[in-house]
Amino acid sequence: MSKLRAAARSGRGLQQGAGEGRKSPRRCRKNVSSHKGMLPPVSAQQSAYHLFSHPAEIEAFRKNLLAWYDKCKRDLPWRKLAASESDANRRAYAVWVSEIMLQQTQVATVIDYYNRWMQKWPTLQALAKASLEEVNELWAGLGYYSRGKRLQEAAQKVVSELAGQMPATAEELQRLLPGVGRYTAGAIASISYGQATGVVDGNVIRVLCRVRCIGADSSSPAVADRLWDLANALVDPARPGDFNQAMMELGATVCTPRAPLCMECPVKQHCKARCRVEKELEFASRRLLGKAASSCSQAPDIEECAATGSCSLCLPASEPWDSSLGVANFPRRAAKKQPRAERTATCVLERRGPRGQPEYLIVQRPSSGLLAGLWEFPSLALGPGLKEKQQREALLAHVQAWAGEAVARGRLRHVGEVSHVFSHIHQTYVVYSLLLGRDPEMASGWRDEMLERPAFRWVTQAEFQKSAVSTAMKKVWKVCERQNCEGRGSGQVSVSVPCLPRGR
């Protein structure tokens, strides 16, 4: 009995097992806001049990959530700018930058990048004048590099085609700005312009699914549409920006994926998932005390969806309620697709510079695709089944155009291996180093006449660290540096760290 009471007080059994993210549901359509707590009619497969049916409950939800937010919100630089900037155009830009950076990236990681970005490019006009190289250099290490590129392209469009004026509604933001989806448009419009439109990101999905016991796959179009309907019905028309930030803040700090702090939740009285947990705990304690009928083996009636078995928002029959998960039964997500494995040979090519200092060759990646426009050591994708001798020969042929001399196979030194996990690729870099015997004269021809030689440059160690290189290449550098310091022969170093944690 004491254990059950302790569990009820601490929220034990309310743990979450799913990962946290900021991706909005994939399907997008125009926002349809409703500020009187009225939702579109439910279908035959969606019970009203999952909705907010009483305006009084919506008002109480808003009041409790905003009171908590005013007291407990984190002190973040983009919130300061949004609150202090009187110019709506600059305010929208400041919010926009933060929202793009926060996609799939934690707040703690973003803060420093955001401060440096706003210091370097405080306005849309300043960003529009920057080069992609400058944007990539500042973005280096933040991951998902196409975000920075799209942000700059959209800024250039605002300056050149929209007279420097940001669109002021969610519909226009999504329609006119490349890289701005439904979630980002709603966040900018509500925070910067006070438009009463809801937002749905990973944190909001988790809150809504738990509050209304929505257990179906939240990425499915039907469930995603219903979540947007809920968000638009709940948003406070008087403080839409604060309300949306409060929903995200609640998901990030209290209604977390793992070990949610249910006792600290400002809207716990509206949470149907928590209500079910409490009733099951109560029933368990009654059974321990012998108060339940001896013939009763099931929990007492708990208010549930009246359309159980046919409701498209309930937990699927194949994944029924799991008492060990508690509120973390929601949301249920489809199993993630495992990242595909790839191997790449990478060569750290070194020469003596004009002043006698070591210099290293970096080449620029293509302008599209993974890590577009970033710089890296000369690298070559390895096909399956290549033996060590074959990959050496392939890499030597690849670097020959830059070496400018016949390079003996024995001078190519194996350093180790580095693992790096992108969102959809588990990349293994087989790292080699090559010290050139003299200052190379670049070969006049490229190894394939059908291909244009990529841009390249020789950089010092300090210049390499300041260049727009990926986190994976910095790992490659560290492995080479470590071996040089230790004076060892070939070895293997495996570092497997996801490049970006998710969520706020």
Side-chain angles (χ1 to χ4, degrees):
M1 180 61 184
S2 59
K3 290 183 179 180
L4 288 167
R5 287 175 176 169
R9 287 195 301 269
S10 65
R12 186 181 305 164
L14 312 186
Q15 290 86 354
Q16 154 74 326
E20 180 180 12
R22 275 191 38 96
K23 278 188 178 179
S24 299
R26 291 166 291 186
R27 179 170 173 174
C28 293
R29 61 182 178 83
K30 290 185 178 180
N31 289 334
V32 180
S33 298
S34 175
H35 315 311
K36 297 182 180 180
M38 300 300 293
L39 286 165
V42 296
S43 67
Q45 287 78 36
Q46 294 180 350
S47 167
Y49 168 77
H50 300 287
L51 310 181
F52 284 87
S53 56
H54 302 293
E57 185 181 15
I58 291 178
E59 287 300 323
F61 187 99
R62 292 170 177 167
K63 180 180 178 181
N64 294 337
L65 181 64
L66 285 169
W68 168 83
Y69 178 72
D70 290 338
K71 181 180 178 181
C72 301
K73 64 183 176 184
R74 290 171 291 180
D75 185 17
L76 301 174
W78 44 90
R79 288 179 179 166
K80 287 183 178 179
L81 273 175
S84 61
E85 178 56 64
S86 58
D87 184 287
N89 208 46
R90 297 185 68 158
R91 184 169 64 245
Y93 168 67
V95 173
W96 181 18
V97 172
S98 71
E99 291 300 335
I100 297 299
M101 286 188 171
L102 285 165
Q103 291 172 3
Q104 298 288 358
T105 310
Q106 288 183 333
V107 165
T109 302
V110 167
I111 290 175
D112 182 56
Y113 283 92
Y114 181 82
N115 287 334
R116 288 190 286 117
W117 182 286
M118 296 306 296
Q119 184 177 7
K120 190 176 182 71
W121 302 302
T123 65
L124 273 167
Q125 289 72 16
L127 176 59
K129 293 177 182 178
S131 68
L132 180 58
E133 179 71 13
E134 290 177 301
V135 170
N136 281 339
E137 285 179 2
L138 195 150
W139 203 277
L142 193 56
Y144 296 90
Y145 294 89
S146 60
R147 294 180 297 169
K149 179 182 179 181
R150 289 198 303 267
L151 183 56
Q152 187 210 26
E153 290 173 348
Q156 291 172 338
K157 180 176 180 179
V158 172
V159 171
S160 63
E161 300 180 20
L162 303 178
Q165 296 298 308
M166 286 280 290
T169 67
E171 293 78 14
E172 290 178 339
L173 285 160
Q174 186 177 349
R175 178 169 55 88
L176 296 175
L177 300 187
V180 173
R182 188 176 183 184
Y183 161 76
T184 304
I188 297 172
S190 62
I191 298 170
S192 304
Y193 297 108
Q195 182 183 0
T197 182
V199 299
V200 175
D201 74 341
N203 289 310
V204 175
I205 287 173
R206 188 164 52 257
V207 171
L208 291 177
C209 285
R210 289 175 179 175
V211 167
R212 296 291 97 172
C213 277
I214 297 175
D217 179 9
S218 60
S219 66
S220 69
V223 179
D225 281 346
R226 184 53 64 179
L227 291 170
W228 276 98
D229 291 337
L230 279 168
N232 283 320
L234 284 174
V235 66
D236 191 318
R239 298 176 61 187
D242 285 342
F243 181 88
N244 286 335
Q245 291 183 89
M247 287 287 284
M248 292 184 283
E249 188 85 342
L250 183 66
T253 63
V254 175
C255 195
T256 56
R258 299 172 181 84
L261 306 175
C262 291
M263 297 302 107
E264 299 178 16
C265 179
V267 293
K268 56 181 176 288
Q269 64 269 42
H270 305 286
C271 182
K272 292 187 174 181
R274 179 176 179 271
C275 179
R276 174 159 185 175
V277 171
E278 289 182 338
K279 287 187 176 181
E280 289 197 347
L281 287 172
E282 179 185 356
F283 176 69
S285 66
R286 288 172 53 200
R287 289 194 63 188
L288 286 175
L289 293 173
K291 293 183 178 180
S294 58
S295 61
C296 179
S297 60
Q298 300 294 325
D301 290 338
I302 298 175
E303 180 190 3
E304 290 181 348
C305 177
T308 298
S310 62
C311 176
S312 63
L313 299 179
C314 280
L315 288 168
S318 59
E319 299 179 67
W321 173 271
D322 183 344
S323 296
S324 67
L325 293 177
V327 302
N329 278 278
F330 310 99
R332 293 286 178 88
R333 296 180 181 273
K336 286 185 181 180
K337 184 178 180 180
Q338 291 298 313
R340 68 178 185 270
E342 293 186 358
R343 290 176 67 82
T344 296
T346 299
C347 183
V348 179
L349 196 62
E350 179 182 346
R351 74 173 187 183
R352 290 295 164 184
R355 298 182 181 179
Q357 78 276 37
E359 290 184 342
Y360 307 89
L361 183 73
I362 55 176
V363 299
Q364 192 169 33
R365 290 183 61 84
S367 58
S368 61
L370 181 69
L371 306 176
L374 269 66
W375 295 81
E376 65 182 5
F377 298 115
S379 300
L380 178 67
L382 297 174
L386 277 183
K387 296 181 179 180
E388 201 273 341
K389 178 181 177 181
Q390 293 172 313
Q391 69 185 26
R392 275 178 176 270
E393 292 176 346
L395 185 60
L396 279 171
H398 182 68
V399 303
Q400 192 68 54
W402 291 293
E405 59 183 68
V407 180
R409 186 189 306 154
R411 290 174 57 190
L412 190 66
R413 185 173 60 138
H414 179 246
V415 175
E417 293 189 358
V418 170
S419 295
H420 190 81
V421 182
F422 297 96
S423 60
H424 58 295
I425 300 173
H426 189 145
Q427 183 70 262
T428 298
Y429 294 92
V430 184
V431 184
Y432 293 86
S433 65
L434 178 61
L435 177 62
L436 298 179
R438 58 182 174 84
D439 287 347
E441 295 179 3
M442 293 299 153
S444 58
W446 184 232
R447 63 186 178 88
D448 188 338
E449 294 180 356
M450 299 299 293
L451 297 175
E452 182 179 352
R453 190 209 302 264
F456 65 91
R457 65 184 191 225
W458 291 90
V459 295
T460 63
Q461 177 180 350
E463 290 168 339
F464 170 80
Q465 296 295 342
K466 293 179 181 178
S467 298
V469 296
S470 67
T471 301
M473 284 298 111
K474 290 184 177 180
K475 289 181 181 180
V476 168
W477 172 267
K478 286 183 179 179
V479 169
C480 288
E481 188 177 42
R482 184 183 309 165
Q483 190 187 67
N484 289 337
C485 290
E486 295 175 352
R488 294 178 180 173
S490 64
Q492 179 168 331
V493 180
S494 180
V495 184
S496 182
V497 180
C499 61
L500 281 176
R502 292 182 171 182
R504 284 183 177 245

